[in-house]
Each structure stands twice: as structure tokens, then as C-alpha cells.
Amino acid sequence: MTLAPGSGDSADAADSPDLVRIRLVAAGAAVVTVGAGLGLRAAAAGSVAKYGGDALYTVLLLTLVVLVAPRWTPLRAAGTALAVSWAVELFQLSSVPAELSRESVAARLVLGSTFNAPDLFWYAAGAAGGWLLHRAMDRRRRVTAGALPAGETPHT
């Protein structure tokens, strides 16, 4: 099964121990991210809860991208998560998300209901933070596996 042209993911590679481990870490990170979002909503209010939730929404999307495409670079995964976040926010300029949100809690959680331009910034902040963490974890994994690219040192 190829996920996307040039993605490098195939059915035989999907079973490799390294990719299984990456997917398990991504699944764990998704659970932690959801927990962090729920905790933030319970502990904070107003702008902190709203915009922190926006950033965590993109982090969650990033973990899901890694779960589906574990070979993607951190930049590609974060960029995809950011693009989806922005697409969902821009979709809110139509009436469809608001209508769906009235009918379903799940739709409200996934699609939101009302466009808010500052959300675009906070999605970018979440993508940047997720990218930094994913990049550090990927680098650590490659150092441990002895698979750093030629000319790259573990301390750069």
C-alpha cells in the first residue's frame, strides 16, 4: 500500500520494527496531546484555553500524520498538519461547519464553527512546536541507530 507518490511508505516497510516503534510513539503522543488539551480546558479559561487548544489541535494533527506516514520528514509532517489546520479554519468561512457543529459534538471538535483569524497564527505556533519536538526525537532516533546523514554530527 503506497500512501502517496514518493512517500516511501509501502506494505513491506510498514512492518519494520523501526516504523512500528515510530507509530507507537506517535499514537502515545496523540493520547498525551488530547490529555493536554482536556487538561488545559479544565485548568484555564479564556484566551489561554482557546489559543492553547488551537496549537494543540495542530500538534494532534501532526501526531496523526506521523502515525499514517512515519517516514515523512518532520518538516513535511508539520507542514501537512499546518495545511490541514488552516484548511479547516478557512472552511469555517462557509456555513457548513457551523451547521454540522449544531448537529454533532464530534463535528464541532474537529471542524469548529466560526472563523477566527488569530487561530491561523496559533496553528502555526503548534506546528512549529510540534516540528521542533518531532525533529529532536527523529534526530535522537537516528543517532541511536547510527543513521545520521553524511557530514552531520550528533551535536549540530
Side-chain angles (χ1 to χ4, degrees):
M1 164 183 90
T2 300
L3 296 173
S7 71
D9 286 313
S10 63
D12 59 331
D15 295 329
S16 78
D18 195 39
L19 294 182
V20 169
R21 188 183 64 71
I22 291 168
R23 285 189 167 111
L24 286 173
V25 169
V31 170
V32 167
T33 303
V34 169
L38 293 172
L40 183 63
R41 286 283 184 177
S47 296
V48 171
K50 184 194 180 341
Y51 294 125
D54 288 346
L56 287 171
Y57 178 82
T58 304
V59 171
L60 176 61
L61 289 176
L62 174 56
T63 65
L64 297 176
V65 168
V66 173
L67 189 64
V68 172
R71 289 183 176 214
W72 281 12
T73 65
L75 183 60
R76 184 176 183 186
T80 300
L82 179 58
V84 171
S85 296
W86 281 352
V88 168
E89 188 68 28
L90 293 172
F91 186 45
Q92 292 170 2
L93 289 169
S94 77
S95 62
V96 175
E99 292 169 15
L100 293 172
S101 292
R102 281 191 291 275
E103 302 295 323
S104 165
V105 172
R108 187 170 38 253
L109 292 171
V110 173
L111 298 176
S113 61
T114 308
F115 176 78
N116 184 31
D119 290 352
L120 299 171
F121 169 79
W122 292 104
Y123 294 141
W131 169 76
L132 286 170
L133 183 59
H134 182 24
R135 183 172 174 258
M137 292 177 69
D138 184 59
R139 180 181 212 72
R140 181 175 171 217
R141 179 188 59 81
R142 290 183 299 141
V143 167
T144 303
L148 278 176
E152 189 174 335
T153 65
H155 304 291
T156 58

